[in-house]
Amino acid sequence: MKTSIATVSISGALPEKLEAIAAAGFDGVEIFEQDFIAHDGGAREVGRMIRDYGLDITLFQPFRDFECLPEPLRSKAFDRAKRKFDVMQELGTDLILICSSVHPRALGGIQRAADDLAELGEIAGARGLRIGYEALAWGRHINDHRDAWEIVRRADHGSVGLILDSFHTLGRRIDPESIRAIPGDKIFFVQLADAPAIEMDLLYWSRHFRNMPGEGDLEIRRFMQAVMAAGYAGPISLEIFNDQFRGSNAKATAQDGYRSLVALMDDVRRAEPETSIDLPQIPPRVAAQDISFLEFTAQGDEVESLSAFLSTLGFANIARHRNKQVSLWQQGDVRLVINSETEGHAAHVWNTRGLAVCDIGLQVGSARDTVLRANALGSPTFSQPTGPGEMAIPAIRGLGGSVLHFIDADSGLGDVWDVEFAPVGDARPAQAGITHVDHIAQTMSYEDMLSWTLFYTTLFGMEKTPMVDVIDPDGLVRSQAVESSGGRLKITLNGAETHRTLAGRFLASTFGASVQHIALSTEDIFATVTTLMAAGFAPLPIPANYYDDLAARFDMPEGLLDKLKAGNILYDREGEAEFFQVYSRAFAGGLFFEIIQRGPGYKGFGGPNAPFRIAAQKRLGLGKGIPET
């Protein structure tokens, strides 16, 4: 399978685009005419530059408003086409995209269009070139791939074929199953783009909101299943028009594109096993089961302060690493690690960001398969030297400088806590009823949210929830969750659009630390909060106005409102399903804990309470140090 991407899909000048495309692992590139024209070198030089990057030129595009024109416009269109053929031969590519006409004087007519393409195909064929015809979703007369195929069929020329674009088919809600009936050798090229489900003008939607397969809501997999079942054997290419991508890092966007293509075609191969897809075998999406551990990096007095703070949350220091300055704190199934080493990954994170979560450990179905799949999707393996008696736990580099380690039940990796750590004494403080990590919240710039959702949903068996708006007094934060199939592993992704928001200030203060918020689960939040407050825990203070409003919005059992108010506990309800949450005060530039009780059937994250929680946090500031006990 040859992978390709259109130069219009990413930002930068042409050389920068090509460098990013090659580094991401693509085999070829569509040259978008505007990028070629803007470059200061000729066609022959551009072709050589592309091949020097190890890339093929899979397509030259677009050629607009060709078919069904009256004279003298028709003759002029043929002249324009011949000039483009000259450029193609200089570039060293044999295929050009002709999109269906939007010209106001185009006459229409299936046979007229077929005759024009047949005549142009004869000219192209004499030069060893091919033309591919594509139905634009907003074409004046042809806006359906089925009509475009009929035109190509009637043209009946070996140099004339069909180009399919997922957006033009799915954006018009055309069933892609009809593609299965098209001979695969007459499909000359396939372009892919996803898009969010938005009701708007097709042209505007296409020009501004396309994204990578898997980042939107279109049925891209069904489209490609039909394409491959037809017998298509050519390049699979991305053509993405997106305002956000135009201003994003070219290398990151190209890497996302490659990840999306490999994951998509792996899905297609599994759904259509009888089709021929030349793709290296990779493991399927891995079952992500739970958070195994969260590791903090801390130095100096921070270690003692963080340890004291974790004690107020009911955690006990149960073990210390045999070789390193690393301590293990546990309560229920929650493991928190404090790493104060002065060398290695944790130290590098501390030098850059200060006290922060430096590592996320995930319990997965297979640690080995997770790393193999991640590598195939473009995420490099992470490793650092192991000391005597230490286990090599599989890990990868995630996004934003993050690191993820993977532990499974079958390889013995779960024994790391006994192998590498020695118990600390017998004294254990009273537990507070915390059972497991309900979810973690990762904060990022809004422009990076699509990358993070794509990262999780292509690597793991996780689904994304609809994006929601979180109102901050100083702006808006976009939030979207990804969840494992069983719901045990949940990660909320929060995209900050401005540094004035709490999320944005956290990013600025920590130089891009990703984990801002750790939510711990309990089965009895009132007993837990009572225990924690007796141990010195100081909850985030919530104003009386909030509880007055709760009384107006919900019918509550007698005494419940007083209990909520006494513990600074927030409340929400979905139908009959209840949700309780209480927050710690912020520390380390905005990091904080949440303790929740999730009633049966409650699927959300307390979204209606977010504006009040954020306002309360802002009143106390970001919290540079650790709350005193």
Side-chain angles (χ1 to χ4, degrees):
M1 181 188 78
K2 180 177 288 187
T3 58
S4 172
I5 186 172
T7 55
V8 72
S9 304
I10 58 178
S11 63
L14 184 57
E16 182 183 357
K17 292 171 184 267
L18 296 175
E19 181 181 1
I21 290 167
F26 285 94
D27 302 306
V29 60
E30 298 179 39
I31 294 298
F32 199 71
E33 187 177 48
Q34 182 174 319
D35 289 317
F36 166 69
I37 294 172
H39 185 65
D40 61 356
R44 191 175 296 273
E45 179 206 329
V46 169
R48 184 168 55 249
M49 177 172 62
I50 292 169
R51 286 182 285 277
D52 285 346
Y53 277 109
L55 299 168
D56 295 328
I57 305 175
T58 55
L59 181 71
F60 182 63
Q61 65 119 334
F63 188 70
R64 305 182 188 277
D65 296 332
F66 168 73
E67 81 279 12
C68 298
L69 292 172
E71 291 293 0
L73 294 174
R74 184 177 187 274
S75 296
K76 179 63 175 175
F78 274 85
D79 289 341
R80 286 191 295 116
K82 293 173 186 176
R83 289 178 179 272
K84 298 307 177 186
F85 291 166
D86 293 339
V87 173
M88 291 170 62
Q89 290 182 304
E90 290 287 301
L91 283 169
T93 186
D94 73 333
L95 181 61
I96 187 171
L97 179 148
I98 297 179
C99 49
S100 60
S101 180
V102 297
H103 198 287
R105 295 187 61 188
L107 300 173
I110 296 289
Q111 191 58 52
R112 180 181 287 109
D115 291 343
D116 285 347
L117 288 181
E119 185 174 340
L120 187 62
E122 189 67 21
I123 298 169
R127 297 189 181 204
L129 305 178
R130 299 178 299 151
I131 60 176
Y133 185 59
E134 174 189 71
L136 289 178
W138 51 89
R140 181 171 173 81
H141 299 288
I142 303 300
N143 54 34
D144 187 318
H145 72 254
R146 293 168 294 190
D147 292 332
W149 162 235
E150 179 60 18
I151 290 170
V152 169
R153 189 188 70 80
R154 292 193 192 187
D156 192 22
H157 196 287
S159 295
V160 179
L162 183 67
I163 291 182
L164 295 170
D165 184 312
S166 62
F167 181 87
H168 294 309
T169 293
L170 302 175
R172 292 188 65 86
R173 297 183 175 88
I174 299 169
D175 191 341
E177 290 300 300
S178 59
I179 295 171
R180 292 176 182 263
I182 301 172
D185 62 347
K186 293 303 292 183
I187 303 173
F188 279 5
F189 203 77
V190 173
Q191 296 174 319
L192 294 178
D194 207 338
I198 307 173
E199 291 296 329
M200 64 169 55
D201 173 76
L202 278 169
L203 176 57
Y204 193 83
W205 187 25
S206 174
R207 287 290 177 261
H208 300 277
F209 293 97
R210 293 193 188 201
N211 48 33
M212 304 299 179
E215 291 180 341
D217 302 305
L218 302 182
E219 293 185 300
I220 304 295
R221 191 179 75 178
R222 280 192 65 224
F223 176 89
M224 277 311 302
Q225 285 179 234
V227 168
M228 300 311 295
Y232 177 69
I236 311 295
S237 192
L238 298 172
E239 186 193 37
I240 313 295
F241 300 92
N242 187 293
D243 294 345
Q244 186 175 313
F245 295 173
R246 289 185 179 102
S248 297
N249 179 277
K251 288 187 176 181
T253 303
Q255 288 167 354
D256 283 349
Y258 184 78
R259 176 180 289 118
S260 73
L261 273 187
V262 173
L264 171 66
M265 296 311 294
D266 182 57
D267 289 342
V268 171
R269 180 172 56 188
R270 296 176 192 283
E272 300 276 339
E274 67 280 6
T275 60
S276 177
I277 299 177
D278 182 18
L279 184 73
Q281 292 289 332
I282 63 174
R285 282 177 173 79
V286 180
Q289 299 164 343
D290 208 344
I291 290 179
S292 177
F293 67 89
L294 294 166
E295 183 173 327
F296 293 85
T297 177
Q299 295 288 333
D301 293 342
E302 294 172 344
V303 178
E304 184 177 345
S305 298
L306 180 57
S307 299
F309 178 62
L310 295 182
S311 296
T312 72
L313 289 172
F315 285 88
N317 178 199
I318 65 167
R320 291 194 65 83
H321 198 277
R322 299 181 189 277
N323 304 332
K324 299 177 180 177
Q325 296 298 311
V326 177
S327 60
L328 173 62
W329 295 71
Q330 187 166 351
Q331 180 176 186
D333 290 334
V334 184
R335 294 185 185 90
L336 302 178
V337 175
I338 301 177
N339 188 326
S340 56
E341 286 285 292
T342 57
E343 296 181 351
H345 170 68
H348 293 322
V349 173
W350 187 86
N351 288 333
T352 303
R353 295 172 175 143
L355 174 60
V357 174
C358 63
D359 197 348
I360 299 171
L362 296 181
Q363 186 79 28
V364 297
S366 168
R368 176 182 176 275
D369 285 353
T370 304
V371 173
L372 288 175
R373 182 173 176 88
N375 292 163
L377 296 176
S379 295
T381 298
F382 169 83
S383 64
Q384 54 185 357
T386 56
E390 295 178 2
M391 302 176 69
I393 300 176
I396 63 169
R397 291 191 178 275
L399 302 180
S402 62
V403 166
L404 287 81
H405 277 84
F406 306 113
I407 292 178
D408 59 30
D410 298 328
S411 61
L413 295 171
D415 296 336
V416 63
W417 312 111
D418 297 323
V419 172
E420 293 192 16
F421 288 79
V424 175
D426 297 324
R428 294 175 61 88
Q431 302 290 288
I434 289 170
T435 58
H436 64 278
V437 176
D438 181 85
H439 65 276
I440 60 173
Q442 296 189 272
T443 298
M444 62 213 63
S445 296
Y446 172 64
E447 66 180 23
D448 295 329
M449 281 193 71
L450 289 175
S451 293
W452 283 87
T453 55
L454 188 70
F455 173 80
Y456 283 116
T457 58
T458 56
L459 179 55
F460 301 112
M462 302 183 80
E463 298 292 333
K464 60 186 178 183
T465 64
M467 190 174 293
V468 298
D469 295 338
V470 176
I471 306 301
D472 184 292
D474 295 302
L476 192 67
V477 175
R478 310 281 186 180
S479 184
Q480 185 169 41
V482 290
E483 299 184 8
S484 61
S485 57
R488 177 78 172 195
L489 177 63
K490 295 182 282 289
I491 301 173
T492 59
L493 309 175
N494 300 316
E497 293 186 320
T498 169
H499 284 177
R500 295 183 62 199
T501 62
L502 189 75
R505 288 166 59 189
F506 171 74
L507 284 180
S509 175
T510 61
F511 296 97
S514 62
V515 178
Q516 184 177 10
H517 165 192
I518 301 166
L520 307 173
S521 183
T522 179
E523 295 178 358
D524 186 346
I525 197 165
F526 299 106
T528 293
V529 170
T530 298
T531 300
L532 297 187
M533 292 177 71
F537 174 72
L540 179 72
I542 304 300
N545 290 341
Y546 170 80
Y547 296 101
D548 292 341
D549 181 66
L550 274 187
R553 289 193 294 126
F554 296 109
D555 292 327
M556 293 188 172
E558 184 176 351
L560 177 58
L561 196 65
D562 291 335
K563 292 170 67 177
L564 293 171
K565 189 182 300 185
N568 288 281
I569 299 168
L570 295 92
Y571 177 85
D572 190 33
R573 187 188 297 169
E574 292 177 354
E576 298 302 314
E578 294 184 306
F579 184 73
F580 304 87
Q581 54 190 156
V582 64
Y583 291 90
S584 78
R585 302 179 186 221
F587 62 98
L591 180 66
F592 59 93
F593 282 85
E594 175 189 11
I595 300 161
I596 70 168
Q597 180 181 335
R598 184 183 293 275
Y602 188 93
K603 302 297 184 183
F605 298 87
N609 292 324
F612 316 119
R613 180 262 298 173
I614 292 171
Q617 289 173 318
K618 284 196 164 185
R619 278 191 291 273
L620 294 182
L622 282 176
K624 294 293 184 182
I626 300 172
E628 295 184 0
T629 57

